[in-house]
Amino acid sequence: MTNKSFFIKSYGCQMNEYDSEKITSLLLKDGYSNSNDINEADLIVFNTCNIRDKAAQKVYSDIGRVTKKNSDKTIALVGCVAQAENEEIFKKNKYVDIVLGPQSYHLLPKMIDAHNEYQKKQINTDFIINEKFDFIHEEKSPKGVSSYITIQEGCDKFCAFCVVPFTRGPEYSRSVINIVEETKSLLNRGTREIVLLGQNVNAYSYTDEMSMTYNISKLIDEISKLDDVKRIRYTTSHPNNMDHELMRLHGSNEKLMPFLHLPVQSGSNEILKNMNRKYTVDEYKKIIDNLKDYCPNIEISSDFIIGFPGETEKDFQETLNLIDYVQFKQSYSFIYSERPGTKAATIEDITPIEEKKNRLSILQKKLEGIQLKFNTSFCNTNISNVLIENQSQSNPEYYFGRSTFLQPVYVKAKNLVVGDIVPIGIETCNHKSLYGTISH
Ligand code: SAH
Ligand code: SF4
Ligand code: F3S
């Protein structure tokens, strides 16, 4: 036990945030207190992301800033940069004491002890994933209305641009019992919406002791049997793992939201082939058509990579055409970032960065326009199902919630109950959010 404090920062995706929550509870259990002040804390945990160069570099400037003021803190660099750069990290920055990959963070307390005892740098980047989940113990602290739960990790797909198969290792699915137990614990602590997480979440596959195999659809059905679960979402899915059972479930399971994040990356067959995505534009469109047949009000969001090596103006136009077809209601779009060790890093890239920036801005404007039109369609209407997530601290007459389509909804009202699903009269909006009052 210790009387020391820690500060933790997440740089990455939802799974990275989920891991930070787990690390937090491990450290609290070990007697550490959680500090909001990076300069005050004795231990700093940087939970890193390696997906794009910028995210990976940011941690080093953050370490530089904090050690300039005070160099006798314990610094742990964990997560995907730790996995990718390994011992190199100690060479890049002498202040890092502990390097720990994303699959073994449960070892952190032991490594801190070893570092304190022997005053030696500690490193572990093994893939020992099932052990990590065994270490997830009963937690007591209150949880948000919407909570993540990792059900699957890793990736066997090796898209040409992506580091995830190298940083998170091969695909692994958690046991159904383990997931249901954690879900129950979240429900007891206030959660009403469960967001199932995985780098390839719809590739989830688990066979239990009775030789019963669960895919993601069966898992969702299992979770939806729990009364207090009001909503279920899952992210991130790969188009090639969207089977009919799962598409159908969006229309038949009321707790499964009519909103799906299904990253397409590009609307050009040539680029998709070079990205090793293993689907064509027509195949992607067919999935969207099928989803709409099963669940007519479903909405789709996506990720896009702009300026992948060899992307021509024509390829880019084809991406815009696909956006016209699908009408994505929310998206993340980034300029391609070359990552060491990936296939795409070997492809010649001649498109000037200015051209890529220009394409990104055209694409983002188009997507914003679609979002604004979609949000505007709700103005002066009542939407029946906003899940209230929290009440404003500074002004208790304001609440925050989300629609079934994940739109942020800001509500002026009195006495709403956090965790309830309520009807809201929408008055105004912008491309990001809706604003309204309680409708009776
Ligand atoms: N498994 C998911 C994506 C996980 S990574 C899928 O297959 O869709 C999250 C997003 O980061 C990707 O969808 C992609 O758009 C983006 N991304 C990944 N590698 C990138 C790179 N090298 N440069 C730019 N964006 C990248
Ligand atoms: Fe990366 Fe592709 Fe795997 Fe997604 S499916 S995590 S983009 S390699
Ligand atoms: Fe980043 Fe690792 Fe997530 S590279 S996006 S933190 S899986």
Side-chain angles (χ1 to χ4, degrees):
M1 279 291 178
T2 174
N3 54 5
K4 291 189 171 166
S5 64
F6 73 98
F7 175 92
I8 186 162
K9 176 168 174 177
S10 285
Y11 293 78
C13 58
Q14 291 113 323
M15 195 172 290
N16 179 270
E17 282 173 32
Y18 174 86
D19 289 348
S20 288
E21 285 178 23
K22 296 292 166 202
I23 293 169
T24 298
S25 70
L26 271 174
L27 292 173
L28 289 174
K29 199 175 170 224
D30 221 41
Y32 280 84
S33 59
N34 197 345
S35 164
N36 293 326
D37 186 346
I38 192 167
N39 295 312
E40 287 298 311
D42 305 297
L43 163 71
I44 303 176
V45 183
F46 291 109
N47 192 8
T48 57
C49 172
N50 198 33
I51 203 86
R52 283 171 288 272
D53 188 53
K54 240 191 199 155
Q57 292 313 321
K58 192 159 189 313
V59 66
Y60 291 107
S61 54
D62 286 352
I63 295 173
R65 201 168 310 123
V66 67
T67 51
K68 210 170 166 186
K69 289 193 179 144
N70 183 343
S71 59
D72 52 60
K73 293 172 181 301
T74 305
I75 293 189
L77 197 157
V78 310
C80 290
V81 173
Q83 192 67 43
E85 297 188 357
N86 252 294
E87 293 95 358
E88 278 302 301
I89 293 168
F90 295 131
K91 291 188 200 146
K92 279 188 170 176
N93 192 301
K94 63 175 183 184
Y95 294 110
V96 176
D97 301 301
I98 294 163
V99 168
L100 184 59
Q103 308 309 22
S104 32
Y105 62 64
H106 55 284
L107 302 177
L108 184 60
K110 272 196 201 141
M111 291 172 80
I112 299 168
D113 290 347
H115 174 260
N116 290 344
E117 195 171 332
Y118 307 114
Q119 289 300 310
K120 267 181 93 173
K121 297 203 184 281
Q122 302 289 316
I123 182 163
N124 189 311
T125 50
D126 297 340
F127 287 129
I128 39 177
I129 183 155
N130 43 348
E131 243 185 58
K132 158 173 133 177
F133 288 118
D134 288 344
F135 270 77
I136 292 176
H137 51 269
E138 178 65 28
E139 296 164 56
K140 306 239 160 21
S141 54
K143 284 292 297 185
V145 166
S146 177
S147 291
Y148 298 136
I149 172 163
T150 294
I151 65 163
Q152 181 279 337
E153 281 215 38
C155 181
D156 299 337
K157 293 200 166 62
F158 291 91
C159 299
F161 51 81
C162 185
V163 293
V164 170
F166 307 102
T167 63
R168 292 271 171 174
E171 286 179 13
Y172 170 86
S173 295
R174 260 177 100 178
S175 81
V176 176
I177 293 185
N178 207 306
I179 295 165
V180 170
E181 280 306 301
E182 191 170 332
T183 305
K184 285 182 181 162
S185 158
L186 291 169
L187 297 172
N188 287 337
R189 291 144 65 208
T191 293
R192 293 295 170 263
E193 175 179 272
I194 300 288
V195 185
L196 305 174
L197 292 184
Q199 268 95 18
N200 265 291
V201 74
N202 57 346
Y204 178 85
S205 176
Y206 180 78
T207 305
D208 70 12
E209 302 72 38
M210 315 292 283
S211 302
M212 163 91 176
T213 298
Y214 287 78
N215 55 16
I216 188 167
S217 304
K218 297 207 167 54
L219 178 71
I220 290 172
D221 275 339
E222 211 49 46
I223 290 175
S224 61
K225 285 184 196 153
L226 300 168
D227 277 348
D228 283 339
V229 172
K230 292 186 179 168
R231 286 181 169 179
I232 302 173
R233 303 181 189 274
Y234 59 96
T235 196
T236 297
S237 294
H238 191 286
N240 290 356
N241 296 109
M242 280 316 291
D243 60 23
H244 280 265
E245 187 181 359
L246 182 56
M247 293 193 261
R248 206 178 295 120
L249 203 63
H250 278 277
S252 63
N253 185 322
E254 281 188 1
K255 292 186 177 181
L256 181 61
M257 290 296 96
F259 189 79
L260 175 64
H261 186 57
L262 195 64
V264 68
Q265 314 297 356
S266 168
S268 150
N269 282 332
E270 184 65 20
I271 296 296
L272 287 175
K273 195 166 140 249
N274 294 342
M275 285 178 164
N276 194 28
R277 290 292 288 183
K278 298 199 175 90
Y279 52 80
T280 62
V281 177
D282 279 349
E283 283 163 351
Y284 185 88
K285 284 179 170 172
K286 183 80 194 142
I287 296 168
I288 304 299
D289 294 347
N290 283 329
L291 277 162
K292 294 212 156 146
D293 283 346
Y294 290 125
C295 179
N297 68 334
I298 198 162
E299 298 294 351
I300 310 296
S301 68
S302 180
D303 295 343
F304 296 93
I305 294 181
I306 300 305
F308 183 82
E311 184 192 72
T312 61
E313 186 58 31
K314 180 168 166 281
D315 294 317
F316 176 63
Q317 281 303 324
E318 287 173 0
T319 300
L320 297 180
N321 294 345
L322 181 66
I323 293 173
D324 282 333
Y325 185 87
V326 180
Q327 296 283 306
F328 297 98
K329 298 301 181 328
Q330 199 186 304
S331 291
Y332 300 92
S333 45
F334 298 97
I335 290 179
Y336 164 75
S337 168
E338 185 180 304
R339 307 307 293 127
T342 59
K343 177 92 189 302
T346 64
I347 310 176
E348 196 186 7
D349 185 7
I350 51 163
T351 314
I353 185 69
E354 286 314 316
E355 179 55 35
K356 293 186 182 189
K357 283 186 182 163
N358 189 33
R359 285 180 195 167
L360 182 70
S361 139
I362 293 170
L363 174 120
Q364 290 183 335
K365 274 206 189 93
K366 189 177 183 71
L367 290 164
E368 260 179 37
I370 294 171
Q371 268 173 256
L372 180 63
K373 194 167 153 216
F374 182 58
N375 284 355
T376 307
S377 73
F378 294 93
C379 282
N380 302 315
T381 71
N382 288 327
I383 53 176
S384 58
N385 35 24
V386 174
L387 175 60
I388 301 298
E389 292 192 10
N390 53 58
Q391 184 174 19
S392 162
Q393 301 261 318
S394 54
N395 191 341
E397 279 194 8
Y398 285 88
Y399 291 81
F400 173 82
R402 282 187 190 270
S403 72
T404 49
F405 307 119
L406 259 189
Q407 292 148 299
V409 188
Y410 294 89
V411 187
K412 186 171 190 298
K414 285 198 175 85
N415 304 325
L416 289 185
V417 177
V418 170
D420 273 3
I421 293 179
V422 291
I424 300 293
I426 302 301
E427 291 165 351
T428 58
C429 72
N430 54 32
H431 77 272
K432 283 193 184 138
S433 311
L434 304 174
Y435 300 83
T437 52
I438 189 95
S439 62
H440 297 282

